[in-house]
C-alpha cells in the first residue's frame, strides 16, 4: 500500500542552525512533490514544489531535494529562526489517484 | 478577502444531525478538495472535484457527500453526524500541477 513517512514527529534545533526534514514514500512514483507549512489551527501554506526531473530547488533560506531512486525528499531551512517553528508537511502527487497525498508532518521547534 | 473561504469556522452539532460545510474560492481554479485532519494522522482526502461535473471519492469518503454547485463552490455534507467525525476540516483549491490554496479550516465537534 502507499505510504508517506516524515522522519520524526517533532524536531528541536537551536536558532541559527540548519533544520533538515525528511520525507520518504513507498509505492508512489510522483511526478512532483510539494512542501507546506502549517501553523496551529491554520490551513497549510505552500512553500515549494519540485518535479521529478529536478534534483534541487531553492527559495530564500529553503532548499528541497528530490531523489526518485531513494524515494525521498529532504527539506532544509538554513539559518533557522524561532519564527520557522511550525509543522511541515510533504505532499507527493499521486499519479494514479490524480491528487496530493499528505504526510503526517514534522513539528519543528527552533529554540532561541 | 481570503482566496478560499470556509463557513462556519467552528460548529458543535449533535449525533445524528445533518450538517453542511461550505467552501468558496476566488482563485478561478477548477480543482477543489475536502480534507479532514486529526492529530497524528495528518490530512486525509475525503472528496475532490476537477470541475463542476466531476466528483471523486477520496481515501475516507464514507459518511460524507459533496456538491459542486459552481466552479467556485464546493460543499461537504455529513448526512448523519457521528462523534468520530469530530475533526478539523479543510477545503483546498488548486490549478493543475501547481500549489494548493487552503481555507482556514472548520473545527467540527459532534457530541
Amino acid at each position: 500500500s502507499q505510504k508517506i513517512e516524515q522522519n520524526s514527529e517533532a524536531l528541536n534545533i537551536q536558532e541559527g542552525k540548519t533544520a533538515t526534514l525528511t520525507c520518504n514514500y513507498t509505492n508512489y512514483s510522483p511526478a512532483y512533490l510539494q512542501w507546506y507549512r502549517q501553523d496551529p489551527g491554520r490551513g497549510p501554506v505552500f512553500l515549494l514544489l519540485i518535479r521529478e526531473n529536478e534534483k534541487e530547488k531553492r527559495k530564500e533560506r529553503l532548499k528541497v531535494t528530490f531523489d526518485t531512486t531513494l524515494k525521498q525528499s529532504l527539506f532544509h531551512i538554513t539559518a533557522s529562526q524561532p519564527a520557522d517553528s511550525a509543522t511541515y508537511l510533504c505532499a507527493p502527487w499521486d499519479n494514479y489517484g490524480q491528487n496530493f497525498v499528505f504526510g503526517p508532518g514534522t513539528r519543528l521547534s527552533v529554540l532561541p | 478577502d481570503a482566496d478560499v473561504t470556509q463557513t462556519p469556522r467552528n460548529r458543535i452539532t449533535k449525533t445524528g444531525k445533518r450538517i453542511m460545510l461550505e467552501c468558496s474560492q476566488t482563485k478561478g481554479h477548477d480543482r477543489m478538495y475536502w480534507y479532514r485532519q486529526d492529530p497524528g494522522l495528518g490530512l486525509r482526502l475525503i472528496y475532490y472535484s476537477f470541475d463542476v461535473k466531476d466528483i471523486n471519492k477520496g481515501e475516507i469518503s464514507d459518511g460524507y457527500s459533496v456538491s459542486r454547485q459552481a466552479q467556485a463552490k464546493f460543499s461537504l455534507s455529513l448526512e448523519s453526524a457521528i462523534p468520530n467525525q469530530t475533526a478539523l476540516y479543510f477545503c483546498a483549491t488548486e490549478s493543475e500541477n501547481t500549489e494548493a490554496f487552503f481555507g482556514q479550516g472548520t473545527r467540527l465537534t459532534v457530541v
Side-chain angles (χ1 to χ4, degrees):
Chain A
S1 62
Q2 297 172 323
K3 191 175 181 182
I4 305 168
E5 293 178 314
Q6 293 192 238
N7 55 325
S8 56
E9 189 175 328
L11 180 65
N12 296 328
I13 65 165
Q14 211 65 38
E15 182 176 6
K17 300 292 186 183
T18 296
T20 298
L21 284 62
T22 304
C23 175
N24 293 293
Y25 55 91
T26 54
N27 295 324
Y28 284 103
S29 295
Y32 54 100
L33 182 149
Q34 300 187 356
W35 283 89
Y36 288 79
R37 168 185 173 139
Q38 186 176 24
D39 292 288
R42 309 288 295 268
V45 175
F46 171 80
L47 296 174
L48 281 168
L49 179 153
I50 186 165
R51 301 185 188 281
E52 61 181 340
N53 61 348
E54 297 174 317
K55 295 296 183 188
E56 181 180 297
K57 202 79 167 282
R58 291 176 185 261
K59 179 183 176 182
E60 298 171 352
R61 293 184 295 111
L62 309 180
K63 184 178 83 171
V64 172
T65 62
F66 192 14
D67 189 325
T68 55
T69 301
L70 292 178
K71 294 186 180 295
Q72 180 181 81
S73 176
L74 299 180
F75 178 79
H76 307 271
I77 305 176
T78 58
S80 59
Q81 304 165 1
D84 295 325
S85 298
T87 295
Y88 291 86
L89 307 170
C90 74
W93 175 255
D94 179 1
N95 295 332
Y96 177 74
Q98 289 292 296
N99 56 70
F100 288 103
V101 185
F102 285 83
T106 295
R107 188 172 67 251
L108 175 68
S109 296
V110 181
L111 308 174
Chain B
D1 288 342
D3 295 322
V4 183
T5 302
Q6 292 183 233
T7 55
R9 293 293 313 280
N10 291 281
R11 180 74 179 267
I12 300 173
T13 192
K14 293 185 177 180
T15 297
K17 292 291 187 181
R18 183 179 189 275
I19 182 170
M20 179 182 287
L21 309 184
E22 300 193 17
C23 176
S24 62
Q25 53 112 348
T26 59
K27 299 295 292 183
H29 292 163
D30 288 326
R31 299 184 177 192
M32 297 188 74
Y33 303 81
W34 274 105
Y35 293 90
R36 70 176 274 176
Q37 188 171 40
D38 300 273
L41 292 179
L43 285 159
R44 291 183 293 165
L45 184 63
I46 307 172
Y47 270 96
Y48 60 105
S49 169
F50 283 177
D51 65 42
V52 175
K53 296 181 181 179
D54 177 75
I55 301 289
N56 304 283
K57 292 183 177 180
E59 178 189 356
I60 52 163
S61 59
D62 287 349
Y64 302 95
S65 63
V66 291
S67 173
R68 185 81 184 266
Q69 302 95 323
Q71 185 201 41
K73 296 185 182 294
F74 192 36
S75 301
L76 176 72
S77 294
L78 286 68
E79 297 301 326
S80 179
I82 57 177
N84 76 2
Q85 291 177 313
T86 293
L88 187 55
Y89 289 83
F90 288 104
C91 173
T93 180
E94 177 231 348
S95 182
E96 187 176 354
N97 296 346
T98 64
E99 66 186 278
F101 293 84
F102 283 81
Q104 292 182 295
T106 295
R107 187 169 296 280
L108 177 66
T109 303
V110 183
V111 298

